[in-house]
Amino acid sequence: MEGGGRPSAAQAALLAASTAITALLYSVYRQKARVARGLEGARKVRLDGDLRAVLLEAPGRCVPYAVIEGVVRSVKETLSSQFVENCKGVVQRLTLQEHKMVWNRTTHLWNDYEKIIHQRTNTTPFELVPAEDGAGVTVRVMKPLDAAELSLETVYEKFHPSVQSFTDVIGHYISGERPKGIQETEQMLKVGTALTGVGELVLDNATIKLQPPKQGMPYYLSALDFESLLHKQESSVRFWKILTVVFGFATCAVLFFLLRKQYRHHRERQHLRQMQEEFRQAQERLMNAEGGETLKNACVVCLSSTKSCVFLECGHVCSCHECYQALPEPKKCPICRQGITRVVPLYNS
């Protein structure tokens, strides 16, 4: 604590940082909890012949947040894998990722560094159909790339290591970067994949569409079943809740420490004021009592013995010999705090 009981700059900064982190974590936790509650309250509909009737009865022919499960089927042509034969899909993502080692000048260690140098995503219109054939109802999936969780399967992955000469190695050590190679990856949402869609379900003329919801809830196209997807979101909520509680306790501990310091400082000042007031009242009582003349000659330290010392060079007469002997070294005058070089006894006739 600084003078006056105020917290130091470091303590104030620590409290401010801890409070800000706690507030940020609580904001993320509330958002995750809202998403989990919305997902838990989503309406589960079956992809069967009754789906059209359900939408016709719904206000605006729309279910704002619905859960539906089906199998992926392409509406038109399918996308073929560039590396795997007979691998068909409706979403294809090709990625080139650079891997290298970068020298950290602070820790003096080589750290792994990854950077996407090229990525391309191809899509084709697709729909969800029942797992059992013959139901005759389909749901067109709109804007799949806007989904918060789009389950893509890695169908091809290959790492191309860098070929380096001795001169290149020396140059890399000088520059602080050592290329490791390029990783080539192909991911696809394959035809026939079981998919759980969570979003707005709307009947548009004769077409049933699944699209991103308008009220700000996340849009899901996940290979997980609904129960697993809900459990995943609830686990995320618990994780952020624990982080919020931990940092909240840390913030409370810092605040309690600062308040305790300030309270102790306040008590000390209050005790000092009380002692000063008691000393002032004692002086007043002695001045008003009989023998007030004696008090004028009383030692200012003990207030009981008679002044018997002259302090030089300041010349103050304020102490008895016993109190002079008790003064700490180097001895200073109790009145002006000037150093005492010589003491002359005082004799009253």
Side-chain angles (χ1 to χ4, degrees):
M1 302 291 283
E2 292 181 348
R6 295 186 301 271
S8 65
Q11 292 170 342
L14 177 62
L15 180 61
S18 180
T19 303
I21 294 174
T22 302
L24 178 62
L25 293 175
Y26 179 69
S27 175
V28 175
Y29 159 70
R30 287 194 61 182
Q31 181 182 0
K32 296 289 184 180
R34 183 180 67 86
V35 170
R37 287 194 302 268
L39 189 60
E40 187 176 6
R43 182 176 177 180
K44 300 177 184 178
V45 295
R46 293 179 59 83
L47 188 54
D48 55 19
D50 297 332
L51 178 58
R52 190 177 300 274
V54 171
L55 291 174
L56 287 172
E57 295 176 358
R61 297 185 176 184
C62 170
V63 178
Y65 207 47
V67 180
I68 191 166
E69 297 179 350
V71 176
V72 174
R73 186 178 72 181
S74 177
V75 174
K76 299 179 181 179
E77 70 281 355
T78 58
L79 301 174
S80 299
S81 170
Q82 294 187 5
F83 305 99
V84 182
E85 295 184 2
N86 301 322
C87 183
K88 306 290 185 179
V90 293
V91 179
Q92 179 189 48
R93 179 170 294 163
L94 300 170
T95 305
L96 289 178
Q97 190 174 38
E98 179 187 14
H99 292 258
K100 60 183 178 181
M101 302 289 288
V102 177
W103 177 254
N104 190 315
R105 302 183 187 278
T106 303
T107 61
H108 300 285
L109 296 173
W110 289 96
N111 299 326
D112 288 321
Y113 177 79
E114 299 176 359
K115 178 184 177 182
I116 295 178
I117 57 178
H118 179 72
Q119 188 175 75
R120 186 177 79 249
T121 303
N122 303 318
T123 62
T124 187
F126 69 96
E127 56 193 9
L128 297 179
V129 299
E132 303 83 8
D133 295 333
V137 61
T138 61
V139 174
R140 178 72 63 86
V141 177
M142 311 300 294
K143 300 180 179 180
L145 299 183
D146 290 349
E149 182 173 330
L150 178 60
S151 297
L152 299 179
E153 179 184 349
T154 301
V155 297
Y156 176 81
E157 187 174 22
K158 186 175 182 180
F159 184 76
H160 303 276
S162 299
V163 179
Q164 304 174 15
S165 64
F166 180 75
T167 305
D168 294 334
V169 172
I170 299 299
H172 296 154
Y173 271 97
I174 295 175
S175 64
E177 294 186 0
R178 291 163 45 193
K180 296 173 63 178
I182 303 295
Q183 183 172 349
E184 189 175 17
T185 306
E186 182 182 26
Q187 297 173 295
M188 296 190 73
L189 177 60
K190 296 194 294 185
V191 174
T193 301
L195 210 61
T196 300
V198 184
E200 183 181 68
L201 201 60
V202 60
L203 178 60
D204 184 9
N205 295 327
T207 305
I208 302 176
K209 297 180 179 179
L210 179 68
Q211 58 191 17
K214 295 183 176 64
Q215 66 271 29
M217 296 300 291
Y219 182 38
Y220 293 101
L221 293 172
S222 175
L224 299 174
D225 59 83
F226 177 70
E227 296 299 329
S228 299
L229 182 60
L230 180 59
H231 178 72
K232 180 179 178 181
Q233 296 303 317
E234 290 175 344
S235 299
S236 176
V237 171
R238 285 193 296 271
F239 171 76
W240 287 102
K241 182 178 181 179
I242 291 172
L243 276 184
T244 303
V245 170
V246 169
F247 275 88
F249 273 118
T251 302
C252 291
V254 174
L255 181 61
F256 174 77
F257 171 78
L258 296 181
L259 291 177
R260 180 172 175 268
K261 285 284 189 180
Q262 192 167 6
Y263 173 74
R264 292 179 61 183
H265 179 79
H266 173 72
R267 288 293 301 272
E268 291 174 358
R269 292 184 59 186
Q270 189 177 22
H271 181 65
L272 179 60
R273 286 197 298 268
Q274 183 179 357
M275 291 179 61
Q276 291 174 343
E277 180 64 20
E278 291 176 353
F279 181 75
R280 185 186 63 80
Q281 293 176 359
Q283 283 185 321
E284 290 179 354
R285 287 195 299 268
L286 290 173
M287 287 293 293
N288 296 330
E290 293 183 0
E293 187 65 26
T294 305
L295 180 62
K296 295 180 181 179
N297 296 322
C299 171
V300 299
V301 180
C302 65
L303 296 177
S304 59
S305 301
T306 304
K307 300 174 183 176
S308 60
C309 297
V310 180
F311 297 150
L312 299 176
E313 302 291 330
C314 66
H316 282 120
V317 180
C318 58
S319 169
C320 64
H321 183 73
E322 289 77 10
C323 291
Y324 163 72
Q325 294 292 336
L327 291 176
E329 295 291 343
K331 298 183 184 299
K332 295 182 179 180
C333 174
I335 303 298
C336 64
R337 307 304 299 166
Q338 184 176 340
I340 301 173
T341 59
R342 192 158 55 95
V343 178
V344 176
L346 177 66
Y347 300 100
N348 293 321
S349 59

